[in-house]
Each structure stands twice: as C-alpha cells, then as structure tokens.
Amino acid sequence: FLGFLAFVIIPLLLEWTIGVLVRRNVLFATCVSSDMAQYQKRLSFGKLKCYPIGNGINVEKNPLRRSPVFDGAELDILFLKGSSGNAPWNGLDRLICGMAKYRGPVEIRLHIVGNRVPGEVEIPREIESKVVFTGYLEGEALDKMFDKCHIACGTLGLFRSKQKENATLKVRNYIVRGIPFFYGYTDIDLADKPDAKRWSEELENN
C-alpha cells in the first residue's frame, strides 16, 4: 500500500495540481509526438503551446554497418530494448508469438540488446534457444551485433500506452546504421517520407 501511495497516488496528485499550474505558466513546450502534445495541452486546459519535434541521434557516433548477406536459410533479427525495466509497449511478445507460430523454411533468431526482466515476456520452449538477451552493449560489441543482423524490429506495442505515434530512439539508431526495420506505430519523421517504404515497414498498432 505504501509503495502504491508513493509511486502512483502522490505522483498523480502532483500531476493534477502543481503539474497543471506549471503547464499553464510555461511559454512553450515540446515533445516527440502529437499524442503527447495533445495530452500536455489537455493538462493545461488548452493554455500550453506544445509542439512535437522528432527525436535526434548523433550520426558520427553510430557508424554504418557492414550488411550481412541473407542466404534465404537463416534470418537474424535485432531488437534494441532500451528500457531497463518491464516495458510492455515494446511489444516483444508480439514478435516472439509470431516466431513461435512460424512454420516456414527460414531459421529465425532474435537478438535482444538489453537485460531480461523477470515476468517481462514468456518465451515458448520450442524457440527458447532462438531468443537471446545480450545484455547492455556499446562500442565495438554493438557494432558487431548490427553487422550480424539482417533486419531490425522497432516498438510493436505502443497501443498499450494509448499512443498512435512516436519518434523512438531505437528507430533512429536503425536508420543511421543503415539496417532495414519494421515497427508498429506511426513515426512522425517517416509518415510523410514515401522513400522510407523502401527500407522500413509500418505494421498495425494493435
């Protein structure tokens, strides 16, 4: 009860008291999606000017990968987890469920860069050996992982946080590294870019 009070009730009370006062007195605000912008405006009762601006990434610190050849027999998928805790909006369960149901000729392996959290996602026994949590990677170790994988996966469960669009950092990592990817929401920087359809695929956000 004390934990619920400290981490749920009190933050909500602060959000609806001090948070509202702050928003009503801020001259300008920004966020990474129009969903978030509308939420912030609602909490200021329409007074706050809030505009979405997509996330950015340091291009020079993220070198282009050396693309592996897909031989039609083995497919390695990369997923940058990002969050250190349980993040249901990542939608890893959607991807793992799809892998478990797949009956095609290609052997699919999933490499999740990040730590596994107890109870985060259930991995069926038949594909347990094909789903690997690598732990936190950076530098040369991360470069090698990008060089190893054929395709990457972005966020697939954003609907769980009642969002339709975002500008996630993992997708920016994929773009700057030059790896094709799929994701399950509307990316504000890709929605008006027809060329993006050549190297990315937007899936249904449900």
Side-chain angles (χ1 to χ4, degrees):
F1 173 76
L2 291 176
F4 184 75
L5 183 68
F7 298 111
V8 178
I9 300 298
I10 291 176
L12 283 174
L13 289 174
L14 291 173
E15 183 83 341
W16 284 99
T17 54
I18 296 173
V20 170
L21 291 174
V22 169
R23 288 175 178 87
R24 289 179 66 83
N25 287 281
V26 167
L27 296 177
F28 177 84
T30 186
C31 56
V32 297
S33 76
S34 58
D35 288 342
M36 292 180 184
Q38 291 303 318
Y39 172 78
Q40 297 297 336
K41 288 177 184 178
R42 283 197 303 272
L43 282 183
S44 70
F45 297 98
K47 191 172 182 182
L48 176 65
K49 294 179 180 177
C50 186
Y51 300 96
I53 299 175
N55 256 320
I57 189 170
N58 189 323
V59 176
E60 294 179 357
K61 290 186 177 180
N62 292 275
L64 277 172
R65 72 190 184 115
R66 293 186 292 271
S67 305
V69 176
F70 175 55
D71 61 5
E74 297 180 346
L75 178 70
D76 289 281
I77 302 174
L78 172 66
F79 186 89
L80 297 181
K81 186 175 172 226
S83 57
S84 57
N86 190 349
W89 57 86
N90 271 334
L92 273 172
D93 57 310
R94 290 185 72 188
L95 180 57
I96 289 170
C97 180
M99 287 176 62
K101 291 182 177 181
Y102 175 70
R103 296 293 180 268
V106 180
E107 182 178 342
I108 301 173
R109 292 182 293 263
L110 174 61
H111 307 271
I112 303 168
V113 177
N115 296 314
R116 186 176 183 183
V117 178
E120 179 180 23
V121 62
E122 186 177 337
I123 303 173
R125 185 174 297 176
E126 63 267 25
I127 62 165
E128 214 166 18
S129 63
K130 299 176 182 178
V131 179
V132 179
F133 284 82
T134 68
Y136 178 75
L137 298 180
E138 62 180 349
E140 188 176 344
L142 184 59
D143 295 344
K144 286 182 178 178
M145 184 56 65
F146 269 96
D147 291 345
K148 178 179 183 176
C149 293
H150 303 94
I151 193 169
C153 176
T155 299
L156 294 176
L158 204 62
F159 61 92
R160 290 172 180 150
S161 58
K162 297 181 180 178
Q163 296 182 67
K164 295 180 181 177
E165 62 178 29
N166 208 296
T168 62
L169 280 173
K170 61 171 62 68
V171 159
R172 272 99 200 119
N173 270 279
Y174 300 154
I175 293 171
V176 75
R177 295 273 191 162
I179 186 170
F181 59 90
F182 54 96
Y183 58 106
Y185 61 94
T186 298
D187 191 293
I188 66 171
D189 290 327
L190 300 181
D192 60 346
K193 306 288 190 304
D195 282 354
K197 296 186 184 301
R198 293 189 294 113
W199 38 265
S200 66
E201 178 75 17
E202 181 181 332
L203 307 176
E204 289 187 22
N205 184 20
N206 59 32

